[in-house]
Amino acid sequence: MELQKINVKFFVADASKIPLENFIHIFNSWIQASNGEYYDLADYSHVRAGPGILLIAHEANISMDNSGDRLGLLYNRKQVLSGGSQEKLQFVFKVALEFCRRIEDEPSLKERLKFRGNEALFLINDRRMAPNSEETFRDVRPELEKLAGRLYGRSEFTLEHNPDPRERFSVHIRTPRVFEVGALLENLASQGGQAVGVSG
């Protein structure tokens, strides 16, 4: 399968600490500092369990997404990526984690927000290319297993496909071990993929 339109979401550890509306100011400040890379913002904070606050760019949208009533950072890649499937997956996960780290380091949040590194949601935002079926899962699973093995090093992990035909194709990736965002980035950067996470 030619992987494109990849989405990745990392979840906030404690969503009760930060009102969703705070990200309007944060994303507006990113727009002002971006020299045109980000050009618009959409506010869906009034929608319960909705798409939250979106920062819109040509290549990808970044949002503090509250779909499923679970707040997290969603990286939605819109433009075509080159390279093999594993290169694309590593690129999208790396960029998503870099945005998570940027949010965690945002001065206005005063270190009140952390992301759960031991869980990620992988989606393909193209129902024609990737129908939500067991066949799609069989096609994608080997690449996701390779990616998760690198992301989590030697830790065990599970892949759980959501088969609901009303939903986009998605897979939850989970490990019982506790990882911080920085540790996951180090794992992706390391050639051997050896885990550098914090044991839970």
Side-chain angles (χ1 to χ4, degrees), residues 32-46:
Q32 293 167 10
S34 73
N35 294 319
E37 179 183 358
Y38 311 121
Y39 57 82
D40 203 359
L41 184 147
D43 175 11
Y44 295 97
S45 59
H46 59 284

Side-chain angles (χ1 to χ4, degrees), residues 70-183:
R70 294 194 65 195
L71 184 64
L73 184 135
L74 176 67
Y75 178 82
N76 173 10
R77 179 73 190 190
K78 299 188 291 186
Q79 297 303 312
V80 171
L81 288 168
S82 60
S85 295
Q86 199 57 212
E87 292 173 291
K88 296 172 186 175
L89 287 173
Q90 290 189 26
F91 174 82
V92 171
F93 273 75
K94 177 177 178 289
V95 174
L97 285 165
E98 287 173 342
F99 278 112
C100 289
R101 182 162 62 181
R102 185 173 178 182
I103 288 288
E104 288 184 343
D105 292 342
E106 173 61 38
S108 66
L109 297 180
K110 300 178 181 178
E111 300 183 348
R112 289 179 294 163
L113 185 148
K114 293 291 182 183
F115 288 91
R116 296 166 51 88
N118 65 329
E119 180 182 4
L121 179 63
F122 166 84
L123 307 98
I124 299 178
N125 195 25
D126 189 324
R127 294 176 187 269
R128 180 177 297 179
M129 179 183 70
N132 194 8
S133 66
E134 286 299 322
E135 182 180 0
T136 301
F137 186 39
R138 286 196 299 270
D139 288 345
V140 173
R141 183 169 191 155
E143 294 294 345
L144 281 180
E145 287 178 338
K146 186 175 180 180
L147 182 281
R150 185 163 190 173
L151 189 68
Y152 296 131
R154 296 174 182 172
S155 298
E156 295 180 357
F157 60 84
T158 60
L159 303 181
E160 181 183 352
H161 167 227
N162 176 9
D164 188 340
R166 297 169 298 179
E167 303 290 340
R168 294 173 294 167
F169 176 78
S170 66
V171 179
H172 263 100
I173 307 171
R174 295 184 177 94
T175 179
R177 189 173 177 184
V178 176
F179 284 90
E180 295 185 353
V181 167

Side-chain angles (χ1 to χ4, degrees), residues 32-67:
Q32 293 167 10
S34 73
N35 294 319
E37 179 183 358
Y38 311 121
Y39 57 82
D40 203 359
L41 184 147
D43 175 11
Y44 295 97
S45 59
H46 59 284
V47 179
R48 178 172 173 77
I53 312 297
L54 282 74
L55 179 63
I56 300 170
H58 174 68
E59 292 186 347
N61 293 344
I62 301 96
S63 60
M64 290 304 296
D65 174 86
N66 201 36
S67 298

